[in-house]
Amino acid sequence: MSDLGKRPEVTIETMGKVHNPSGEGVRPVSSEAQKKAVKVQQKVQQEKKWTAETSPPTNPNHPASHGSRPGPHRQHHHHTEGEHETKVKEEGSARRNITRKNTEPSAGAHFDSRNKKQGGAGKGKWDPLDGADQGDLPVLDKNDPLYDEEEAEGKYILSSGEAPDTYANGNPTGFDDVAEKAVYGPMLTLPEFKIRVADALREYWDAADADEVVRGVEEMRCRAFHPEVVKRAISLSLDKGPRERELTSRLLTCLHPTPLADEDMEQGFTLLLDSLEDLVIDIPDAKTMIGSYLARAVVDEVLPPAFLSNRNNSNPGDEVVEKAVGLLSREHCNARMEHVWGPGDGRPVAELKEVMDQLLEEYLLSRELDEAARCVREMDAPHFHHELLKRGVRIAMEKDGMDHADAASSALDAMAALFSFLVKNAIVSEYQVAKGISRLSKLMPDMKLDVPAAPGMLAEFEEMAREGGCLPSALTDAKRVNA
């Protein structure tokens, strides 16, 4: 290994001259290459000999001098030494900074690298400077089978597959700044429109601002999708409470007749009734609630009464339509429809107290715990249950009256059983029961004027509530300590 020297670095100096047409110094590798090399060498030698014999001595300072060779005169180019050598920037470097001949613009070169084809003979290469995309486009012929009126007039329609094509000859809905064209049709697709309507409804149920929903529907500028507003609002409110359903009924009144026309309302309820089978799977009471929506819409003059008759003729035996007709056939139906969603529709406190009194009076007559619990749940006022207990105990005391010492307090026992049932079924909380008893204690001086035995009856009711598990444990322990 010691006799092997390091391989010398390949540089421009060691490579020699690039231009060597005679092949001198290069050993041929085949007989054909040897013959060709010999012929080229002989031809070069003959040309040198012939030139030396025929050409007279010339003045080297005169560049235009010619020999006596017959034929047209040619201007001979005198090659200089090193003309065809590789030009380098740094000698002795392994990097080959090669500048080919006749490519320097300063030397008057005629080769332009910009016209070089980059594979495939230049096919498929787009030149942005050729001006093909400029100029006037050819005028489309109306008799052409492929003639498109919207394309010829610079119009286009943005719509989904379910949108009707009714905007081609009308006024534009808006203007697209990106495409710089007028938009004829809905500004949104149907899925986008549904998402925005759902967001607006959730915000409306929190803030109860119907004007904001109306403004949002108008700003979306999707008149073809207006029936979806009715369907979406009612279907989303079915799994909500009475307050949300009451707000939805009021919203339909605010949306009619602008921006939702009569045709939009009818089409919206038609879409809702057609999709009833899917709604019943998730919400079993959907038919009853949609029937109430239909009756309320007729009372609010949002929907014409002829819609129910037409629907009944086209779909005889429809339970929803029959439910709506039954609600409208009752006496004082207009007043009843105003409170169709029950006491939990967000009505004032005075009306809620009247509902509580009616509920308690009916319970003391029937003693049906399940029916009373259903009515309490429909009130949807868990924060106001302390008022229910206060009014219930007071009504029971008034019914037992002056004879409480001699007779069994049946009304008071029934009231204690009711609230024990409500607490066990998680309809009324223990905190609300304790708060109601506290309010009764504060009102005892006034109650003694009507019912002298009120203090004893309250103590008895509190003991029955404690035994029934209606009072919180902390309050029970505190009462025992004080006793």
Side-chain angles (χ1 to χ4, degrees), residues 49-286:
K49 184 177 179 181
W50 179 81
T51 303
E53 292 178 355
T54 58
S55 60
T58 58
N59 186 5
N61 298 326
H62 194 277
S65 60
H66 301 279
S68 58
R69 184 177 178 179
H73 295 284
R74 294 182 179 179
Q75 181 178 358
H76 294 279
H77 175 71
H78 297 278
H79 298 280
T80 61
E81 185 178 359
E83 179 181 3
H84 299 297
E85 292 183 358
T86 301
K87 299 178 181 181
V88 298
K89 295 183 178 181
E90 298 178 2
E91 294 185 359
S93 173
R95 193 179 70 174
R96 300 183 61 186
N97 298 321
I98 301 174
T99 305
R100 298 297 181 184
K101 61 178 181 177
N102 295 334
T103 59
E104 290 289 341
S106 60
H110 302 287
F111 179 77
D112 189 1
S113 60
R114 292 178 298 177
N115 296 329
K116 182 178 180 181
K117 297 178 180 179
Q118 300 177 358
K123 294 181 179 179
K125 185 179 179 182
W126 175 68
D127 187 4
L129 302 178
D130 60 354
D133 57 343
Q134 299 178 359
D136 298 334
L137 297 176
V139 181
L140 299 179
D141 187 6
K142 293 185 177 181
N143 298 324
D144 191 348
L146 301 178
Y147 176 75
D148 189 359
E149 182 179 359
E150 285 79 13
E151 182 179 357
E153 298 181 2
K155 304 177 181 179
Y156 70 95
I157 298 177
L158 175 63
S159 62
S160 63
E162 301 180 5
D165 188 8
T166 58
Y167 298 89
N169 298 324
N171 297 325
T173 308
F175 186 79
D176 191 349
D177 297 332
V178 178
E180 297 182 354
K181 292 182 179 180
V183 180
Y184 289 77
M187 296 294 292
L188 303 174
T189 60
L190 183 57
E192 294 174 344
F193 182 78
K194 289 182 178 180
I195 293 174
R196 293 200 180 186
V197 169
D199 295 340
L201 288 172
R202 295 187 184 96
E203 184 178 355
Y204 167 68
W205 289 331
D206 292 337
D209 188 359
D211 295 337
E212 183 66 23
V213 180
V214 174
R215 190 181 306 110
V217 173
E218 292 177 348
E219 290 177 355
M220 283 188 282
R221 291 180 290 183
C222 298
R223 183 166 54 86
F225 301 148
H226 282 178
E228 291 291 337
V229 178
V230 180
K231 177 187 174 184
R232 198 73 173 170
I234 296 177
S235 60
L236 290 178
S237 66
L238 293 180
D239 57 349
K240 301 293 183 180
R243 175 181 176 275
E244 286 77 9
R245 292 193 284 271
E246 176 65 24
L247 289 174
T248 303
S249 297
R250 296 178 183 178
L251 177 63
L252 296 179
T253 306
C254 296
L255 291 172
H256 181 268
T258 302
L260 271 63
D262 296 340
E263 295 80 6
D264 298 331
M265 286 292 179
E266 295 181 9
Q267 293 178 9
F269 276 100
T270 301
L271 293 175
L272 181 66
L273 293 174
D274 293 340
S275 62
L276 189 58
E277 295 181 0
D278 298 333
L279 294 174
V280 172
I281 297 175
D282 299 329
I283 307 171
D285 298 336

Side-chain angles (χ1 to χ4, degrees), residues 395-434:
I395 291 175
M397 289 180 179
E398 292 176 354
K399 283 190 174 295
D400 290 343
M402 304 291 294
D403 301 333
H404 176 68
D406 300 332
S409 58
S410 59
L412 200 62
D413 292 340
M415 201 61 63
L418 173 62
F419 282 95
S420 298
F421 181 80
L422 294 176
V423 171
K424 289 179 181 179
N425 288 273
I427 300 175
V428 176
S429 64
E430 297 176 354
Y431 172 77
Q432 293 292 325
V433 175

